[in-house]
Amino acid sequence: MPYTAEKPTPRETPEQLRARIPGWGADLDPADRPSYPKEQFLPTGAHWDFPERQVEKWPRERSIEHAFVTPVFGTSTPPKGLSGVIRKYAYRRFSEARAAHWLLLIAADRVDTAESAVTALLRGKPDNPVTETGILAESSPVADRVGQQRADAGHHALDPVIVAAPWVIGGGLAFSAVRALVRRRRG
Amino acid sequence: MRAMVYRGPYRVRVEEKDVPPIEHPNDAIVRVTAAAICGSDLHLYHGLMPDTRVGMTFGHEFIGVVEEVGSSVQNLKRGDRVMVPFNIFCGSCYFCTRGLYANCHNVNPNATAVGGIYGYSHTAGGYDGGQAEFVRVPFADVGPTIIPDWMSDEDAVMLTDALPTGYFGAQLGEIAEGDTVVVFGAGPIGLYAAKSSWLMGAGRVIVIDHLEYRLEKARTFAHAETYNFTEYDDIVVHLKKITDHLGADVAIDAVGAEADGNLLQHVTATKLKLQGGSPIALNWAIDSVRKAGTISVMGAYGPMFSAVKFGDAMNKGLTLRMNQCHVKRQWPRLFEHIQAGYLNPSDIVTHRIPLEHIAEGYHLFSAKLDECIKPIIIPTAS
């Protein structure tokens, strides 16, 4: 009880635990734990002081908290379109310390999704919401949803609202903008 | 080559992509033989991690065979069967030379707060991942290790992230003999953290979750005492009651950004993206651990702010410890534990899914259908 000096009595002795659990106490000595001490030099296999620099195939966006583009970097998906403009601005203007940096990047992600859907359609490889959402797993033999616990059941009712809301609001704003433009031209 | 490609929140598909080229003299190209979907991949899949671009290939847990090496690679050759830690690291920067491989400063131009991670958005460096037939592996002399002959493929995949991270979570708890450890989350990381806590001498290991089948696994796989938080009005009060009102000595957050258990936190974080993550498990850890106790955070959160109860953490004099796991540093000891029979990593693998069905795999894992704990992806060319 914390109201007195005694620590609660352990339920099981070390002998009982050792008998019940394979390997109990094998790393009881902190020296056996791989991250002890926290910071120490271990041979890494590196045979350079500073790595040779990877060639930049486009001006690589970087955090302004870095002194320069790191010697090695990913080239997965270069920025493109309006989302690319937003991303490059977020990196150029705001540090990682600023919420604006992350909020702009998240906004760019949503723009990227819309842009990519349109581009895929124009290229003849349109998105297929049935196959891409994996919803077919609901009816496959390995995914019987009846009588099973689901992680997403608690907010099923709310999900359509949250998923649809940006599209409804965005559509409404676009409609209002077009209508205002048409009225201005007429008027 | 065939590769998983992100198409937007909750949507992925398999596309034909170019085989990645050597872009740096110390690169290797690896033909992937098995990959896994990680719980943290779901943060990307759900659109929670900033700068997750359409077209990216996810996957930071993979093994494979070396297909090609760059001109400066000395330690690997074509045909080597390798396991690749999820951290991309240079081995020579300030952090790497201090054993902090997850914090490498030479691999991620997009952020200084996080190192490089395969297939984990541009926030983690913009590298394509291993849920594909081939993957580029930078610093081939530093990261990958040849898989020992005695090790199975599935054990090796679990060693690229999940097992070392769970074990690291227990290490950061600085468990002393007889300590009571409470682990929030009975997913792969939580299961491994619970199991590892015993190796470090825990006297009692408690696991909290809301999915009964995962709690069952925590009981059988990790010998843990389990509680389903949905069965209690307030899980923190329950934890106090079962620990003589002292609280646990150590709490491990093995949930992270998409925790359930509080509708307001969950919706504002995971649905509306107004937080870097919903810190429900972290707040429960803060409240349920004893004063002057230790919290180890293994759950992944986004870079934005989250509504964490720091006032209580300060008033209680807690030690909060956290980091991405320095995977390669854990391997020698984990290899010993596997050979001794203390750890059986592949026991938690529940699904093996062909790459072509990865969309179903993501949905299955995301919705926790079919009692899914850990899905393995098998690329076509393997």
Side-chain angles (χ1 to χ4, degrees):
Chain A
M1 291 285 281
Y3 306 100
T4 63
E6 290 89 37
K7 193 173 180 182
T9 312
R11 293 181 172 191
E12 294 174 276
T13 65
E15 290 69 34
Q16 287 170 317
L17 289 165
R18 201 169 276 121
R20 185 167 75 86
I21 293 160
W24 183 86
D27 293 332
L28 198 48
D29 182 351
D32 288 330
R33 302 176 187 179
S35 289
Y36 176 87
K38 183 181 171 191
E39 297 186 10
Q40 63 174 326
F41 174 77
L42 300 163
T44 65
H47 40 88
W48 48 80
D49 292 326
F50 180 76
E52 203 169 317
R53 283 181 173 276
Q54 181 180 332
V55 175
E56 274 184 72
K57 292 176 182 166
W58 71 90
R60 186 62 165 75
E61 61 280 11
R62 68 168 172 89
S63 166
I64 55 174
E65 294 178 44
H66 261 304
F68 43 70
V69 172
T70 55
V72 165
F73 49 86
T75 53
S76 162
T77 36
K80 62 180 191 314
L82 177 60
S83 60
V85 172
I86 299 169
R87 281 172 176 138
K88 283 189 266 191
Y89 176 71
Y91 281 105
R92 190 174 63 245
R93 175 66 183 82
F94 298 106
S95 77
E96 297 160 63
R98 306 281 292 275
H101 176 79
W102 302 112
L103 290 168
L104 278 169
L105 288 174
I106 288 177
D109 290 348
R110 300 293 98 83
V111 172
D112 188 8
T113 304
E115 284 181 319
S116 300
V118 172
T119 311
L121 187 66
L122 294 175
R123 286 182 179 164
K125 290 181 181 174
D127 282 295
N128 182 335
V130 175
T131 56
E132 291 177 8
T133 54
I135 200 81
L136 296 173
E138 296 278 347
S139 59
S140 76
V142 293
D144 178 12
R145 68 184 290 180
V146 179
Q148 291 204 12
Q149 289 181 300
R150 299 173 61 102
D152 54 353
H155 33 82
H156 266 167
L158 209 54
D159 287 351
V161 178
I162 290 166
V163 171
W167 297 95
V168 171
I169 294 167
L173 289 173
F175 176 75
S176 302
V178 170
R179 190 175 59 179
L181 204 65
V182 169
R183 283 181 177 171
R184 187 178 294 176
R185 286 200 172 173
R186 282 180 183 167
Chain B
M1 69 167 184
R2 305 291 285 167
M4 166 274 179
V5 161
Y6 174 70
R7 293 297 305 167
Y10 293 88
R11 289 186 297 113
V12 300
R13 70 185 182 194
V14 177
E15 279 183 8
E16 201 64 35
K17 288 177 91 168
D18 292 337
V19 173
I22 298 281
E23 299 197 53
H24 180 275
N26 210 249
D27 280 356
I29 305 302
V30 169
R31 176 170 55 82
V32 179
T33 52
I37 305 178
C38 176
S40 60
D41 284 331
L42 297 179
H43 306 332
L44 303 171
Y45 178 66
H46 296 154
L48 194 64
M49 196 60 67
D51 211 356
T52 302
R53 301 181 186 177
V54 173
M56 178 174 239
T57 298
F58 298 166
H60 55 269
E61 302 183 3
F62 62 90
I63 61 166
V65 176
V66 175
E67 188 77 7
E68 186 184 355
V69 293
S71 58
S72 83
V73 174
Q74 300 174 1
N75 300 335
L76 290 183
K77 62 182 186 310
R78 184 183 159 86
D80 284 342
R81 179 172 164 254
V82 290
M83 50 205 287
V84 182
F86 80 84
N87 325 109
I88 300 169
F89 60 108
C90 73
S92 61
C93 70
Y94 178 94
F95 302 101
C96 285
T97 49
R98 286 160 177 79
L100 303 172
Y101 308 145
N103 307 115
C104 177
H105 214 61
N106 274 336
V107 287
N108 181 6
N110 297 77
T112 55
V114 60
I117 301 174
Y118 294 95
Y120 210 76
S121 84
H122 273 66
T123 296
Y127 297 90
D128 269 334
Q131 289 164 10
E133 290 181 322
F134 296 92
V135 61
R136 172 194 170 210
V137 173
F139 295 117
D141 280 334
V142 177
T145 287
I146 293 175
I147 302 172
D149 289 338
W150 53 266
M151 188 181 287
S152 73
D153 278 4
E154 288 184 1
D155 279 353
V157 177
M158 293 303 101
L159 277 158
T160 60
D161 177 358
L163 176 60
T165 296
Y167 182 85
F168 185 57
Q171 275 188 101
L172 291 195
E174 299 197 319
I175 296 165
E177 183 171 339
D179 273 356
T180 295
V181 179
V182 57
V183 180
F184 291 95
I189 305 300
L191 292 170
Y192 288 141
K195 185 128 179 155
S196 302
S197 296
W198 294 119
L199 300 181
M200 293 168 207
R204 190 178 175 193
V205 178
I206 299 165
V207 174
I208 308 295
D209 202 293
H210 64 142
L211 297 172
E212 202 50 53
Y213 76 90
R214 290 190 167 201
L215 291 172
E216 170 64 21
K217 192 72 175 177
R219 290 190 288 273
T220 56
F221 173 80
H223 316 285
E225 180 182 335
T226 63
Y227 298 96
N228 185 329
F229 67 77
T230 62
E231 293 174 5
Y232 299 91
D233 177 51
D234 187 330
I235 192 64
V236 170
V237 173
H238 180 67
L239 283 166
K240 290 283 171 64
K241 284 180 180 171
I242 63 170
T243 54
D244 292 320
H245 291 273
L246 183 69
D249 299 290
V250 176
I252 301 173
D253 169 7
V255 181
E258 299 190 72
D260 263 310
N262 177 311
L263 192 65
L264 180 67
Q265 286 266 30
H266 186 85
V267 169
T268 55
T270 67
K271 302 298 178 187
L272 301 177
K273 329 291 183 197
L274 297 175
Q275 300 191 60
S278 84
I280 301 165
L282 181 53
N283 285 340
W284 283 349
I286 289 170
D287 285 322
S288 60
V289 77
R290 70 166 163 81
K291 281 175 248 190
T294 301
I295 291 178
S296 162
V297 185
M298 284 300 105
Y301 291 86
M304 284 254 289
F305 37 76
S306 295
V308 178
K309 298 184 69 182
F310 268 109
D312 280 353
M314 188 274 178
N315 286 329
K316 292 178 76 169
L318 303 184
T319 299
L320 271 69
R321 301 197 65 198
M322 63 208 86
N323 205 338
Q324 298 280 354
C325 176
H326 319 298
V327 170
K328 197 168 180 180
R329 193 165 166 176
Q330 319 296 314
W331 279 348
R333 188 64 173 162
L334 290 176
F335 286 11
E336 290 174 12
H337 286 328
I338 293 168
Q339 285 195 292
Y342 299 158
L343 293 171
N344 306 298
S346 56
D347 278 1
I348 69 160
V349 174
T350 51
H351 292 75
R352 295 167 188 90
I353 300 167
L355 177 62
E356 294 298 322
H357 290 286
I358 197 163
E360 284 93 330
Y362 266 91
H363 182 70
L364 189 86
F365 192 36
S366 171
K368 311 292 182 282
L369 302 177
D370 199 39
E371 302 196 345
C372 185
I373 294 177
K374 189 69 176 176
I376 298 271
I377 302 298
I378 311 296
T380 327
S382 69

